[in-house]
Each structure stands twice: as C-alpha cells, then as structure tokens.
Amino acid sequence: MKSISFGKISIGLWIATVVILGYFFYFGSTSRSLDDRTAIHLTPAERQLVLTEMRALLTSVNGMLNGLAEKDYERAAKAADAVGMGLVASLEHQEKTILLKLPVEFKKLGFGTHEKFDEIAVKIRKKQDIHGLLKEMDELTRNCVACHASYKIELEENKK
C-alpha cells in the first residue's frame, strides 16, 4: 500500500473546505417554504437585523416620496442616502456571518437595491424631472416586490 503524504491530505481538506464554503456562499442556509418561496434560515438576532434593515428601506422610500411631494429635494435625497451603500458599510461587521447564510441572488438583489438608492439620491439632488424620478423609484420598489415574492426569513431550528 502506498502511503498518502501529509501534503496531499492537506490539499484535499483545503479543496473540500473551499467547495463547502462556496456552496454556502452561493446557496446560503435555505430551504423551500410551504408557499414555494425560498426560506432563509437565520438566528433570531440575524433575522431581526435583516427585518430592521428592510423597514429602514421602506421608511426611506416614504421619506423620498414625501420630500418630492413637498418639493424638498434635499430631504428626499437624504432619505435615499440613509439606506444606500453607506448603510451596508456601517452594518458590515454585524452582517459578516449573515452573508454566508444568504443565497447569492438575495445578495445581488439587496446590494443592487442599496446602490439604486444612492443613484436616485444623486438624481434627486440634480432635480431631475419628477416623472423620471418616479420611474426610478418604480424600478427600485420592483426590487422590494421581487425580494418579498421570492424569499422569507425563518428562524433556524435548534439542533440538539
């Protein structure tokens, strides 16, 4: 019998680790829910963080619409800025463990939504045509609708 070298075992374990991490990075900690959406399994604290972030997005959309309705462009732009990529950067430490649990399409949708808030803030500050801004906000809220139609957040089951 040939003996397998320590190096080959190490490389094999390294490859297995990369494959497993890649799997979780792409698919996350998910299952199919009863309503045929993708259920994302998070701890109670992680779930609360994601739901709080989603409520902040909705609050910002409302602030943007209110600011635009009152012709207060700076207030509308600040509402958009509040949940742009700056928010993502501020939550980076808290979200590191969550990111492995989220499927890649959810991450793309989420990051794209935050980037869209930043893009709209710039356009609001330039006082672009209100119809163009409403079209941008329509595209933005389609991300919200797509996310809620495709995903739900569930608590991880305690494995004992």
Side-chain angles (χ1 to χ4, degrees):
M1 274 195 143
K2 293 183 181 179
S3 75
I4 300 175
S5 72
F6 178 72
K8 288 181 182 178
I9 292 172
S10 296
I11 289 172
L13 289 173
W14 180 81
I15 290 171
T17 301
V18 169
V19 168
I20 290 168
L21 284 175
Y23 174 86
F24 279 108
F25 179 81
Y26 191 82
F27 294 106
S29 178
T30 62
S31 66
R32 185 64 47 203
S33 69
L34 291 176
D35 61 4
D36 210 32
R37 291 185 291 167
T38 299
I40 301 170
H41 304 281
L42 301 176
T43 66
E46 292 166 341
R47 181 178 186 272
Q48 187 61 43
L49 180 66
V50 172
L51 295 179
T52 298
E53 187 175 343
M54 287 180 184
R55 284 189 295 274
L57 295 173
L58 182 58
T59 299
S60 289
V61 167
N62 181 253
M64 293 161 64
L65 289 170
N66 182 264
L68 290 171
E70 298 294 324
K71 297 183 181 175
D72 187 341
Y73 289 87
E74 188 54 30
R75 184 172 49 158
K78 283 182 181 178
D81 282 336
V83 293
M85 289 305 287
L87 176 66
V88 174
S90 73
L91 295 174
E92 183 179 1
H93 177 70
Q94 292 171 288
E95 290 187 339
K96 281 185 181 177
T97 59
I98 295 174
L99 285 176
L100 271 181
K101 295 179 178 182
L102 303 176
V104 74
E105 292 304 318
F106 184 92
K107 288 181 256 203
K108 285 181 187 176
L109 197 52
F111 287 129
T113 300
H114 288 288
E115 289 169 350
K116 188 74 174 164
F117 274 101
D118 286 335
E119 292 169 13
I120 293 173
V122 169
K123 292 176 181 181
I124 290 172
R125 284 196 172 90
K126 290 180 180 177
K127 295 184 179 177
Q128 289 192 351
D129 173 63
I130 192 70
H131 296 293
L133 292 172
L134 288 172
K135 183 170 175 47
E136 294 286 331
M137 292 185 71
D138 172 58
E139 291 172 16
L140 172 72
T141 58
R142 286 174 192 238
N143 284 0
C144 302
V145 171
C147 183
H148 287 270
S150 300
Y151 301 99
K152 68 187 299 184
I153 307 294
E154 292 186 351
L155 293 176
E156 290 177 335
E157 291 182 23
N158 292 332
K159 296 175 179 130
K160 293 181 182 181

